[in-house]
Amino acid sequence: MKSFINVADIGPLEKALAEAQEIKNDRYKYQHLGRNKTLLMIFFNNSLRTRLSTQKAAMNLGMNVIVLDVNQGAWKLETERGVIMNGDKSEHLLEAIPVMGCYCDIIAVRSFAGLKDRDYDYAETVVQQFIQYSGRPVMAMETATVHPLQAFADLITIEEYKPQPRPKVVLTWAPHCRALPQAVPNSFAQWMAAADVDLVVTHPKGYELDPKFTAGAKIEYDQRKAFEGAHFIYAKNWSCPGVTNPEDYGKILTDDPTWTVDTEHMSWTDDAYFMHCLPVRRGLIVTDDVIESPRSIVIPEAANREISATVTLKRMLEALV
Ligand code: AN0
Ligand code: CP
């Protein structure tokens, strides 16, 4: 695998899931693969799970790891071309990226959507520059539009907990006080569409995700109808993707509290498991009762981030010449 961005990059999902199980049984099995190989993790945004689980995965594989928080201690980076750099930014990404590539074998990048310019975000401008100029394979640790390590971990979790073949999986929008990216729901929809599940996406009007990610999913605007018969409820907030109204891109269109997942919502389902990628704001996305209930699997879901990252890095190491 050269870079890891989309579901197609991992190949057949049954094979990836079998490898996840193999790693789970012995997470140090491939420790020889990473000997004298270095992973450089670049963070433009905050992280708890991605930072820890990806670093742990690299250590499982015997790699060396360097972590750089671009906003803490590095030079402030300019990302646009053609600007006169007389402001607070001391270095251009176009020099910084090839320099970063000199010190590692694989680069992992976290760079969220700016949520101001849809074309800039959806062209994956920052990550494409890493792919083009670093000379290294790039692993997405949540980019402007995708979060494949999360979606892969979600798939592993669903595989482990599903009560029947082809379970009903519901991705539901829920309210939030700050505008959030669409990367998590985009990747979740993309990976579920490729998996053996029935995917229903539910959200208020105006929150339609980019159809390139939701192809194959059923869109249901009535949240109650969507929840009926569900085996998994996957809650997430996202800001307006700007599909129907480009000028609303990145905006909060509603904070309707009736979309918060509470025990009544869960009673509409077929005793569904509750999932969320975390971090989650209680009282907005989900109530305390639901997230603390025995049907909440947010912690095993987070634990599977180590597994998805180990399988992914293993594949990337195998592809190095
Ligand atoms: C981020 C998001 O919604 O994309 C990261 C989630 C993994 N969440 C926040 O910024 C709170
Ligand atoms: N789920 C997830 O990616 O969490 P972090 O933002 O803490 O890494």
Side-chain angles (χ1 to χ4, degrees), residues 189 193 198-201 213-219:
D198 273 329
L199 177 64
V200 178
V201 183
F213 294 107
T214 50
K218 181 176 181 337
I219 314 296

Side-chain angles (χ1 to χ4, degrees), residues 137-157:
V138 173
M139 181 164 75
M141 296 196 295
E142 187 170 337
T143 68
T145 67
V146 291
H147 194 0
L149 287 170
Q150 181 64 51
F152 187 10
D154 297 332
L155 175 64
I156 296 167
T157 311

